[in-house]
Amino acid sequence: MSHDRSTGSGDDPRDDARHELGDGPAFSVDHLRREGLIEPPAEAEGTHDGTGRVDLSFAVRAADGSSSPRGARVPPGVSVFDAASWNGIAIDSTCGGHGTCRKCKVRVSPSGAPVPVTRHDERTFSAEQLEDGWRLACLVRATQDLEVDVPPLTTRPKAATVGVGRQVILRPAVQKRYVELVEPTLSDQRTDLVRLREAIDDLELTVDLEVLRRLPVVLRQADFKVTAVVVDEALIDVEPGDTSRVRYGLAFDLGTTTVVATLLDLESGTPVAVASRLNRQQPYGGDVITRISATMMDPEALGRLQAAAGRTLAELAAEVCSEGGVDPSSVYEVALAGNATMTSLALGIDPEPLGVAPFVMGTAAYPTLLAADLGLSLHPRARATVFPSLGAYVGGDIVAGMLATGMDRDKRVRLLIDVGTNCEIVLSDGDRIVATAAPAGPAFEGGAIRCGMRADEGAIEVVRLGDSVELGVIGDAEPRGLCGSGLVDVVSELVRVGLLDATGRLVPDDVAAEIAPGLADRLTKVGEERVFVLHRPAADSPPEESVYLSQRDVRELQFAKAAISTGWTLLLEELGLAGADVQQVLLAGSFGSYLSPAAAIRIGLVPTLPVLRIVSAGNVAGEGAKMVLLSLRERAGAEALLEEVTYVELSDRADFNDRFVEQLAF
């Protein structure tokens, strides 16, 4: 459903003129704009004659405070954000450089005239910060030589690296057979390949040219005592001696925001090492639509996005191999689970058809690839298995999640929600399985939130309201911002204590003083927008220098949760069920893993059920990827899901907009 944002069809439910919520106040576009929902700002104008080049000197900060200098020469008028991206310098962003997320904060020192201040800069930085040169990189035009100080990028956000899975029968596609062959003689002139095939007569081995080139040399150097390395029935190598107990696989969950890698010992079936990091495609946008748009606007962007995905995967592969003490050449197979857009970008397939009606995939299933096709330096002929997709917005990651959670094996009514920028939803009644996607947007990742940030040190992830405010902060550090779970928590708590009404509007000051006197002084304004202050760096810190929740933030969360709840509501209707019929809700993904079930119920993100029915499922996509490496049977099960699951397209439903608006209320 995220694709609706790029079509310009006018079907976005946010543009509905008005809809009544029972007897309560009405929602309208004008009403929301008065609360601070303004259009993206105009970019800063710079003066230049369009000739020559501008020299930019970047000081890229690391987390330890050190910096590395990088230079770039660009045409005048290019934004600092684009100049950095073109030269491989990552500046934080979730909107792809469109001036709406306020994440691309840099400090600029001009060689001449001061850098213009945009109205968006004024809403992002204090007067002192503006004086000190802080600007949003996407709004700074390089019209003169600049020195640019780039803060550290969060490359290791808090992520779920394990999740709900099932026990599997260990039968990996990677097999190793140690054989001792009879050496040829004048009376026995069978070819080397025939000798090997006859020694492994239970498999119909196929072989490529590279293996044939190695075979005669390795056999004779090893006195015809070798180990054949087979993936499925493809002979990918012949190794001297007995290496039959050394075989590894790599499972990837290729997320839009976070990528997780798990190194598996295929001999024992146990994990050796696991690591996660930010997807290097992040500077191109925080969601799939902005990345698809990037490829549509720039013919060279696809190559850069593919390279960024490859670097992310390669860095993680090197990290887990180093941590596990494993030679990368001993990794013989890779499994990759990602949504349809991330998979297409990683493989260099044009994603444009995914982003425009009628939202068609190039293919639902992928051929067996080489790991090198994904930019990985493992065994030279290591294979890569890519999960199939159900639809343009229900991809291989959700297929992997269904496999891990056994959605096709359980007779209970179960709801699987993978919460992210694009939210995939699966419902099973024990006999039938239906799936869809909903346009949640970047709010759950901290995008489009005034004080939002990823789940990194200093992020508020838990909020409790009483006579005072209690905060849980990642790393027990000084609060720097609000991550997705903290956003849901604070909105849920404000609803509980009555400071947010059913329509999501912060109540007037006099009402707040009456119902929550200990919290009322935290309701104030930043500019013309009402906010709730969560943390002040000092007792006298003004609201704009504090960590706060704004009225616009509440609306962003409302839109996200309404999209998701509309999705599962329509799936329930598809199977003739009600919310109370659901026996288990599985919240998947990095965000879902840290989400408070009670808060999710209170704001309507999930059906109103007993809390114990809401389960944090963790990284089920990664678990599914591990399962197909460990078991050929599970790999066949993943392929079978394509036939068992019915994909429900919500964008062509005439009632979707009305149903969406119905779900906005808390």
Side-chain angles (χ1 to χ4, degrees):
M1 276 300 305
S2 333
H3 41 262
D4 286 350
R5 295 186 178 186
S6 70
T7 62
S9 64
D11 292 332
D12 191 335
R14 302 185 186 196
D15 290 335
D16 277 9
R18 184 173 292 271
H19 187 91
E20 296 291 338
L21 289 173
D23 296 327
F27 286 92
S28 73
V29 173
D30 289 339
H31 172 71
L32 299 180
R33 283 177 180 148
R34 285 197 299 272
E35 293 175 354
L37 297 182
I38 59 175
E39 298 297 326
E43 295 172 336
E45 296 294 331
T47 56
H48 60 84
D49 61 5
T51 62
R53 291 291 183 269
V54 173
D55 287 322
L56 301 181
S57 176
F58 292 93
V60 184
R61 302 289 176 185
D64 61 4
S66 61
S67 67
S68 56
R70 297 280 296 276
R73 285 177 59 80
V74 297
V78 170
S79 76
V80 167
F81 180 87
D82 285 342
S85 297
W86 295 346
N87 288 277
I89 300 167
I91 296 178
D92 200 3
S93 173
T94 58
C95 70
H98 297 296
T100 57
C101 73
R102 304 187 186 186
K103 306 298 181 193
C104 58
K105 300 176 181 178
V106 296
R107 187 170 62 183
V108 294
S109 300
S111 59
V115 174
V117 176
T118 69
R119 56 176 178 163
H120 223 36
D121 291 324
E122 291 175 341
R123 291 186 174 96
T124 305
F125 303 108
S126 67
E128 291 77 13
Q129 289 174 319
L130 291 172
E131 182 68 25
D132 199 30
W134 285 94
R135 300 289 189 275
L136 294 176
C138 66
L139 301 182
V140 176
R141 293 294 174 185
T143 59
Q144 58 180 309
D145 293 349
L146 296 172
E147 293 182 2
V148 184
D149 193 21
V150 181
L153 177 69
T154 300
T155 57
R156 297 185 185 279
K158 186 174 181 180
T161 54
V162 296
V164 172
R166 296 183 287 106
Q167 296 293 322
V168 300
I169 297 173
L170 185 62
R171 190 192 167 195
V174 177
Q175 302 181 58
K176 278 193 163 185
R177 302 288 185 88
Y178 173 66
V179 294
E180 296 184 0
L181 304 179
V182 175
E183 296 187 27
T185 63
L186 287 174
S187 61
D188 179 8
Q189 294 183 333
R190 289 174 298 162
T191 66
D192 293 340
L193 184 58
V194 167
R195 291 176 193 277
L196 187 60
R197 280 178 165 158
E198 290 180 352
I200 311 175
D201 58 4
D202 60 322
L203 298 175
E204 295 183 5
L205 295 179
T206 62
V207 60
D208 60 26
L209 180 59
E210 286 302 314
V211 178
L212 287 176
R213 287 170 174 163
R214 279 179 52 80
L215 183 60
V217 177
V218 173
L219 283 177
R220 284 153 184 83
Q221 288 180 345
D223 296 325
F224 287 83
K225 299 175 182 179
V226 296
T227 300
V229 185
V230 181
V231 181
D232 292 319
E233 292 193 334
L235 180 67
I236 69 167
D237 205 356
V238 178
E239 299 173 344
D242 185 358
T243 64
S244 57
R245 294 190 177 276
V246 181
R247 50 178 174 156
Y248 295 92
L250 254 177
F252 287 105
D253 170 21
L254 178 60
T256 308
T257 302
T258 306
V259 185
V260 179
T262 305
L263 180 64
L264 291 171
D265 184 339
L266 300 180
E267 183 70 16
S268 64
T270 57
V272 177
V274 61
S276 67
R277 68 170 51 234
L278 196 71
N279 191 328
R280 281 187 171 271
Q281 295 176 341
Q282 197 68 23
Y284 292 88
D287 56 42
V288 295
I289 291 301
T290 51
R291 295 186 199 174
I292 292 173
S293 298
T295 67
M296 295 168 68
M297 293 185 290
D298 180 358
E300 296 182 0
L302 176 58
R304 292 198 291 267
L305 281 159
Q306 182 184 12
R311 286 198 303 274
T312 307
L313 298 174
E315 289 167 358
L316 283 169
E319 181 175 349
V320 292
C321 286
S322 175
E323 182 181 333
V326 171
D327 186 338
S329 65
S330 297
V331 179
Y332 302 105
E333 190 176 25
V334 168
L336 184 140
N339 65 50
T341 301
M342 291 301 99
T343 301
S344 294
L345 292 174
L347 296 177
I349 299 172
D350 183 7
E352 180 177 347
L354 300 172
V356 296
F359 315 112
V360 176
M361 297 183 292
T363 179
Y366 300 90
T368 299
L369 312 169
L370 291 178
D373 294 329
L374 295 169
L376 295 167
S377 298
L378 305 171
H379 187 280
R381 284 168 297 284
R383 296 313 200 246
T385 296
V386 178
F387 271 84
S389 296
L390 290 167
Y393 290 92
V394 180
D397 50 353
I398 204 68
V399 174
M402 285 190 283
L403 181 72
T405 55
M407 292 293 286
D408 59 336
R409 300 171 180 235
D410 200 312
K411 291 302 179 182
R412 293 176 293 171
V413 177
R414 303 169 80 208
L415 182 64
L416 171 64
I417 305 176
D418 192 334
V419 186
T421 50
N422 184 66
C423 178
E424 294 99 347
I425 307 167
V426 181
L427 176 68
S428 171
D429 65 0
D431 294 317
R432 297 164 295 169
I433 307 175
V434 289
T436 192
F444 293 130
E445 304 287 353
I449 303 302
R450 293 290 172 86
C451 295
M453 63 179 291
R454 298 187 183 94
D456 191 28
E457 184 172 311
I460 298 171
E461 60 176 343
V462 177
V463 179
R464 294 293 178 266
L465 301 182
D467 293 333
S468 60
V469 177
E470 297 180 15
L471 303 177
V473 183
I474 297 176
D476 294 324
E478 176 79 6
R480 296 192 295 119
L482 192 65
C483 68
S485 61
L487 173 66
V488 173
D489 252 21
V490 66
V491 170
S492 168
E493 287 291 281
L494 287 170
V495 170
R496 182 182 63 81
V497 301
L499 295 182
L500 268 178
D501 65 22
T503 71
R505 184 182 297 133
L506 289 165
V507 300
D509 292 341
D510 57 339
V511 176
E514 181 180 346
I515 63 177
L519 302 172
D521 65 339
R522 292 176 177 268
L523 280 173
T524 181
K525 284 189 174 182
V526 172
E528 294 301 314
E529 185 177 18
R530 284 172 59 73
V531 303
F532 180 82
V533 176
L534 288 162
H535 173 76
R536 289 184 171 92
D540 58 349
S541 295
E544 56 269 20
E545 295 181 12
S546 304
V547 180
Y548 59 83
L549 176 82
S550 73
Q551 182 66 71
R552 174 174 177 160
D553 298 338
V554 176
R555 295 306 187 204
E556 289 290 341
L557 179 61
Q558 274 187 286
F559 297 145
K561 83 94 181 176
I564 293 170
S565 56
T566 301
W568 55 254
T569 297
L570 293 175
L571 289 187
L572 285 168
E573 292 179 5
E574 193 81 16
L575 297 186
L577 299 170
D581 296 324
V582 177
Q583 294 169 278
Q584 185 183 60
V585 177
L586 297 163
L587 293 175
S590 293
F591 172 71
S593 302
Y594 299 106
L595 180 62
S596 161
I601 293 169
R602 187 175 293 123
I603 70 169
L605 187 65
V606 299
T608 302
L609 297 168
V611 171
L612 293 180
R613 293 194 196 177
I614 315 298
V615 178
S616 295
N619 182 17
V620 292
E623 291 297 318
K626 289 190 281 187
M627 288 167 65
V628 301
L629 289 177
L630 297 175
S631 172
L632 283 167
R633 178 181 297 179
E634 299 300 334
R635 182 178 303 177
E639 295 169 354
L641 281 169
L642 291 185
E643 303 298 324
E644 297 179 38
V645 181
T646 300
Y647 176 60
V648 179
E649 178 61 65
L650 299 184
S651 63
D652 63 352
R653 289 187 62 126
D655 62 343
F656 178 77
N657 286 355
D658 290 338
R659 304 300 295 276
F660 175 93
V661 178
E662 289 172 4
Q663 296 294 331
L664 283 169
F666 289 125

